[in-house]
Amino acid sequence: MFVVAGASGHVGSVVANELIAGKQQVKVIVRDAAKGAAWSGRGAEVALGALDDAHFLAGALKGATGFFVLLPPNYAAKDFFAEQRKVAGAIAAAVKQSGVPHVVMLSSIGADLPDKTGPIKGLHYLETVLRATGTRLTAIRAGSFQENAGNAIGPARAKGIYANFSASADYAFPQIATKDIGALAAKVLRDPPGKSKVIDLIGPAYSHRQIAEKIGAALGKKLQIVDVPPEHQLAALQHAGLPPTVAEAFVEMYAAFGTGIIQPKGDEAVHGSTTFDEVLPSLLLG
């Protein structure tokens, strides 16, 4: 049996669906009974609970041969990093108590670094505490999500602008589709490696200008790219509604990417094939 966390999200839903399509026994972890009912209809077992509840999670993992897990961000938390560590600690405690032999974790490029990476620090911590449990860990260090561009759709529609927080709107960097992340996670669950490993998952490269042009073309307008320099990023993110600790974390992450300290450093690299043109239509509906 495979246990899948985050089954209501972009990645976890793909993992669960891929496994179910392959006739695997699947248990999904969800917090909402209504969403759980939909999974029951697909033949999955449902466990209702939260990842920060170690007792619940250990019970859900009992007898599992593999576990897909992620670290869901809680942007409403007073202390963003403290919340990340709390959830990570509960996950690790449950993994150790249950003895699940293989964990596939959605991590991020840059998770090899202990600090100065903003929200990625929490994933470094989760990787570390999971390795300490003795389980076989496959950490999928994904690059930037193509779906993150969905945050630009509202301002593009309303004001015809695209905010750029990177040093150059013309710098192309790898961006992965969540569809490809979920497919890889399901594959690794079905065919686990002989030992713990880190996989860098790399998608097609796009610049912010290219993304802005594609969104603009889909909306039938030419978008104005608005560069947000480092000294204005914190205020801009807070104005957009992010709490101070979360906004500070993102500014730190932008700086880390800008200085080049975040690089792929896994044991192997896998390349995703889904393009942004394939992802964009669903973002326009969101």
Side-chain angles (χ1 to χ4, degrees), residues 69-148:
V69 71
L70 38 66
L71 189 61
N74 182 359
Y75 296 142
K78 285 186 177 181
D79 188 326
F80 180 69
F81 293 118
E83 180 69 12
Q84 282 189 309
R85 291 172 71 91
K86 172 189 172 185
V87 177
I91 292 170
V95 166
K96 186 173 182 63
Q97 182 179 338
S98 68
V100 59
H102 181 216
V103 176
V104 177
M105 172 194 161
L106 173 54
S107 189
S108 170
I109 182 175
D112 56 296
L113 302 172
D115 55 23
K116 303 187 187 305
T117 57
I120 301 173
K121 287 187 290 192
L123 296 170
H124 171 86
Y125 182 75
L126 180 55
E127 282 192 21
T128 301
V129 294
L130 282 174
R131 288 192 185 95
T133 67
T135 191
R136 185 187 316 162
L137 175 66
T138 301
I140 298 176
R141 290 185 184 162
S144 297
F145 290 7
Q146 292 180 15
E147 284 80 0
N148 288 343

Side-chain angles (χ1 to χ4, degrees), residues 167-246:
S168 170
D170 294 302
Y171 173 71
F173 58 99
Q175 300 182 50
I176 191 73
T178 54
K179 171 185 175 182
D180 290 343
I181 303 171
L184 176 61
K187 178 182 178 182
V188 174
L189 281 168
R190 291 191 300 259
D191 185 18
K195 61 181 181 179
S196 292
K197 72 187 306 184
V198 173
I199 301 174
D200 291 320
L201 182 54
I202 302 168
Y206 300 98
S207 68
H208 283 293
R209 190 175 305 280
Q210 288 173 310
I211 296 296
E213 288 173 351
K214 290 177 182 294
I215 293 174
L219 296 176
K221 59 176 70 176
K222 182 176 176 61
L223 301 183
Q224 176 189 358
I225 295 179
V226 178
D227 295 320
V228 184
E231 63 270 21
H232 295 151
Q233 289 176 357
L234 184 60
L237 292 171
Q238 289 184 254
H239 180 73
L242 291 182
T245 60
V246 178

Side-chain angles (χ1 to χ4, degrees), residues 24-40:
Q24 303 291 334
Q25 184 180 359
V26 176
K27 179 189 290 185
V28 298
I29 295 174
V30 294
R31 301 186 67 164
D32 185 286
K35 293 178 180 178
W39 284 109
S40 293

